Amino acid sequence: MKITRSKFLRMAAGAVAYTSLGRHARVFAAGGRTADLVLTGGVITTMNDAKPFASAMAVRDGKVLAVGTDLELSDCIANRTHVIKLAGRGVSPGLIDAHSHPMAYGHMELMFVIIRPPKVTDFDSLKKTLSHAAKSVPEGEWIVARGFQDFKEGHFPGRAVLDEAVPKHPVLTIHWSGQYGVANTAALKKAGLFSADVEDPYGGKFVRERTTGLPNGVLIHYPAIYAVYKPVLNEQEMLKCIRWAVQQFHSAGVTCIHDNFILPQYNKNYVKLEREGDLNMRIRLYPYIANLQQAETVLAKMVHYRGSLVRVQGIKLAVDGYALMYESQPEHQHIALPMHPQPIFEQIITAIHRGDWQVDVHAAGDKGVDWTLQAFEKAAGGVRQARERRHRIEHFAFRKLDSIRKAAEMNVPVCVQPTLMDFRVDDFTRRLGSPVKKYMGTIVPTRTFLQQGVPLAFGADVPAFPYFAPLDSIRCAMSRKTHSGRQLDTTESISFLEALKVHTRGSAYAAFDETELGSLEPGKTADFVIWDKDLRNVKTPDDVSNLHVRATYLAGRCVYQAKET
Ligand SMILES: [Zn+2]
């Protein structure tokens, strides 16, 4: 019998459970269960349905040893045991961000010029910000800026607008989503693209001037952006970006991140930090591939690395950037392009599936989602076979019931970003016409996903999105309000504890981590958060705004402690 990697992992998970049971049996036989750490007198929200709340938890060797009442766990305390008195505070499992990009987040925040609203809202404010930045950069060197949303002018600027502000430096500005960019003339020249015969890269497009045929500076999709500029960080800089981002996530209670957009050659940075004992974060990697040829090269080379913190878990690709919809606005058709022709997209998915990796697809639009589900089914050879492989979808923004049911039937984990409602829906509604506007009320349909049985996960998606803290996703999933305070369809709201479950167990499941992470029960990893309040009292979005992380623990070790206020 051929044992596939996924089968092997399931068998291995069973073996681990058996071994840890054996070890505990020996401990009990020796007449003690002394813990390294015991938390008492609090309210532990375990996310274990069989025992959802407890007042005490014991930890040994980085794992949960026992969960129960203070009295039940009193025998876990010996002289060497560190005891934390919670004084009524809450504890939850460590939060798992199922979609973010720590290295890119650090890169943007530490090294790019930030051009997000409210700082940049129109061409004038963009020009001011760029020319100010140019003053401190030697002539001829790159200026990269990221974060613009829509401009008051109603369209992207072209290279001429950027040239007015910065004529002598190559400038690349990148949209908040990372899907679009605008380069100035110096940048196009430096990249060798300033010619009417330059060819569009696969999966991307250089928008042209009608009269001359020259690129007008607007870049559609990553391949066009990367053709102009590729990140040029050295290893030390990359490690610095990761360390910085990890600290931000710790302060928000995150203990595991799925990085599902990293260039395959950069996996090694995470592995290096782990080997040097300098990471303190669980990372699941899904390196990104841009085309079939790259898929084949990566599949031939990539190894199933499994460290105690870092794991190469799957392969990421995109079916769309801007949502690929059945109905789209004529003025958006030039940016709502599929990343691949459908037959090639299916071939790539089949190749990854056969390579025994989990497939992870960026699919925002309703048509993009349907292409993806269809490709998963074809690659697996049926719905039942697809269920086992748990190929996943990122974003899945719209409530299309037949697609949601199909995702549930095929056990496809879906990772959504509830903060989309806060920071984008006002803008979408103002700018988009009737075909797309009608979907806005039920955008990010969390209740329907859960009701239909879709394995749901949350991820902040920084730096594409402006918020990195899980509590922002949770708050938005509860409130469903736009930034201006407009109420979206509340039938899609979920409660605090439901959202917390999505951000712990749900996100663990999306990367096959459910036997080790996501809930606090004996034998599981002791990744947890101490909050300043009892989580049972968190009922409203305002309660979430007033909830704070006191400390974050990874494998029983404190990795973040809030300053006393
Ligand atoms: Zn992303």
Side-chain angles (χ1 to χ4, degrees):
M1 184 181 82
K2 182 179 176 281
I3 297 180
T4 62
R5 175 175 164 271
S6 42
K7 264 191 206 136
F8 171 76
L9 290 181
R10 282 192 297 279
M11 286 159 63
V16 168
Y18 179 78
T19 324
S20 62
L21 192 70
R23 187 165 59 80
H24 289 152
R26 275 203 306 282
V27 171
F28 291 132
R33 50 171 191 167
T34 304
D36 303 326
L37 171 69
V38 173
L39 297 95
T40 63
V43 181
I44 300 175
T45 302
T46 65
M47 288 296 149
N48 170 9
D49 296 337
K51 193 186 233 184
F53 299 102
S55 67
M57 178 170 77
V59 173
R60 186 173 57 202
D61 298 334
K63 299 250 162 92
V64 176
L65 177 66
V67 178
T69 63
D70 291 8
L71 189 65
E72 282 165 352
L73 268 59
S74 56
D75 66 321
C76 298
I77 303 174
N79 281 343
R80 70 172 185 86
T81 308
H82 177 52
V83 178
I84 297 175
K85 293 192 171 138
L86 293 167
R89 289 193 186 115
V91 170
S92 76
L95 291 148
I96 300 171
D97 183 315
H99 184 138
S100 271
H101 316 289
M103 195 172 88
Y105 182 34
H107 190 182
M108 171 169 175
E109 297 288 339
L110 301 178
M111 296 170 198
F112 286 178
V113 180
I114 306 292
I115 48 172
R116 282 192 179 121
K119 194 166 149 198
V120 170
T121 52
D122 57 11
F123 295 176
D124 258 353
S125 48
L126 175 69
K127 287 197 285 188
K128 246 181 231 149
T129 310
L130 292 175
S131 63
H132 180 75
K135 285 183 191 144
S136 51
V137 179
E139 213 168 275
E141 282 190 20
W142 279 95
I143 295 170
V144 183
R146 182 163 171 182
F148 73 79
Q149 293 193 20
D150 295 315
F151 293 95
K152 284 212 177 105
E153 285 78 356
H155 55 92
F156 293 164
R159 64 186 164 86
V161 172
L162 270 51
D163 290 349
E164 285 165 29
V166 186
K168 293 187 176 153
H169 299 71
V171 177
L172 172 67
T173 60
I174 305 172
H175 189 247
W176 64 270
S177 64
Q179 304 281 354
Y180 311 105
V182 185
N184 72 349
T185 308
L188 293 169
K189 283 186 176 160
K190 190 157 182 140
L193 301 171
F194 194 58
S195 140
D197 346 298
V198 68
E199 274 181 35
D200 286 338
Y202 176 84
K205 190 177 160 104
F206 305 122
V207 179
R208 320 277 172 152
E209 285 164 359
R210 242 179 245 135
T211 44
T212 61
L214 286 166
N216 76 352
V218 176
L219 313 161
I220 308 294
H221 290 164
Y222 331 108
I225 296 172
Y226 285 142
V228 173
Y229 168 85
K230 275 216 179 77
V232 283
L233 299 183
N234 64 36
E235 187 182 84
Q236 282 317 309
E237 288 169 326
M238 289 193 264
L239 300 185
K240 184 179 160 193
C241 292
I242 297 173
R243 282 194 206 98
W244 178 87
V246 163
Q247 280 176 4
Q248 313 305 308
F249 281 106
H250 280 159
S251 72
V254 175
T255 51
C256 179
I257 302 169
H258 304 176
D259 188 339
N260 23 26
F261 187 99
I262 179 162
L263 299 180
Q265 63 269 34
Y266 293 153
N267 286 353
K268 62 177 188 288
N269 294 315
Y270 288 105
V271 173
K272 186 176 166 81
L273 281 177
E274 168 167 31
R275 288 192 173 142
E276 288 173 357
D278 200 12
L279 185 60
N280 293 328
M281 179 65 77
R282 295 181 202 283
I283 302 280
R284 305 293 176 250
L285 292 165
Y286 294 83
Y288 180 82
I289 52 107
N291 53 49
L292 183 59
Q293 190 196 7
Q294 202 189 1
E296 281 161 359
T297 321
V298 168
L299 283 167
K301 275 205 231 155
M302 205 162 81
V303 287
H304 289 285
Y305 177 82
R306 284 176 74 86
S308 64
L309 292 176
V310 177
R311 192 163 82 213
V312 182
Q313 174 61 31
I315 293 184
K316 170 88 183 289
L317 74 157
V319 68
D320 57 13
Y322 192 89
L324 182 62
M325 304 293 288
Y326 287 106
E327 298 176 88
S328 75
Q329 291 291 95
E331 68 267 32
H332 291 128
Q333 271 158 13
H334 70 296
I335 53 173
L337 302 171
M339 288 275 186
H340 315 270
Q342 194 177 8
I344 307 274
F345 173 67
E346 291 184 346
Q347 271 182 54
I348 299 176
I349 287 185
T350 301
I352 303 170
H353 175 89
R354 289 200 181 134
D356 213 15
W357 292 97
Q358 188 185 16
V359 186
D360 186 8
V361 177
H362 170 122
D366 53 9
K367 190 174 177 185
V369 165
D370 285 353
W371 279 24
T372 306
L373 291 169
Q374 203 178 311
F376 286 171
E377 188 177 352
K378 269 195 193 170
V383 168
R384 193 177 49 77
Q385 297 89 328
R387 285 190 67 81
E388 287 189 14
R389 294 296 300 274
R390 227 182 274 183
H391 297 319
R392 54 187 276 188
I393 292 183
E394 308 300 307
H395 311 307
F396 201 146
F398 302 104
R399 187 185 183 281
K400 185 164 170 282
L401 204 52
D402 62 324
S403 317
I404 292 175
R405 287 194 176 129
K406 179 109 180 164
E409 202 191 352
M410 297 211 299
N411 195 35
V412 170
V414 168
C415 177
V416 296
Q417 291 65 46
T419 59
L420 185 77
M421 292 179 270
D422 179 317
F423 102 106
R424 283 303 286 164
V425 166
D426 281 333
D427 226 31
F428 283 153
T429 314
R430 198 166 45 241
R431 290 173 34 74
L432 302 179
S434 49
V436 177
K437 218 181 206 167
K438 67 182 179 214
Y439 300 113
M440 287 299 131
T442 56
I443 198 165
V444 196
T446 44
R447 170 64 62 204
T448 305
F449 279 128
L450 292 180
Q451 265 170 358
Q452 295 296 326
V454 173
L456 193 61
F458 285 164
D461 197 6
V462 286
F465 285 54
Y467 306 97
F468 71 93
L471 285 187
D472 287 317
S473 298
I474 290 174
R475 178 179 49 77
C476 291
M478 294 164 72
S479 73
R480 298 188 59 81
K481 279 197 175 152
T482 69
H483 202 71
S484 68
R486 196 161 63 83
Q487 184 64 63
L488 302 178
D489 195 336
T490 51
T491 58
E492 292 295 347
S493 293
I494 58 175
S495 72
F496 174 73
L497 287 179
E498 285 172 319
L500 187 65
K501 194 169 179 179
V502 173
H503 230 320
T504 51
R505 277 176 59 184
S507 292
Y509 187 84
F512 290 87
D513 272 328
E514 69 275 15
T515 57
E516 287 177 66
L517 312 179
S519 64
L520 297 171
E521 47 192 300
K524 280 200 167 184
T525 307
D527 295 355
F528 61 91
V529 184
I530 301 178
W531 302 91
D532 64 348
K533 293 182 186 69
D534 172 352
L535 299 182
R536 291 174 308 182
N537 298 332
V538 179
K539 306 271 188 213
T540 67
D542 282 346
D543 295 340
V544 176
S545 304
N546 292 317
L547 178 66
H548 301 101
V549 173
R550 300 301 313 160
T552 306
Y553 281 72
L554 184 81
R557 208 162 52 78
C558 183
V559 291
Y560 168 78
Q561 180 90 50
K563 289 192 185 74
E564 289 300 331
T565 45

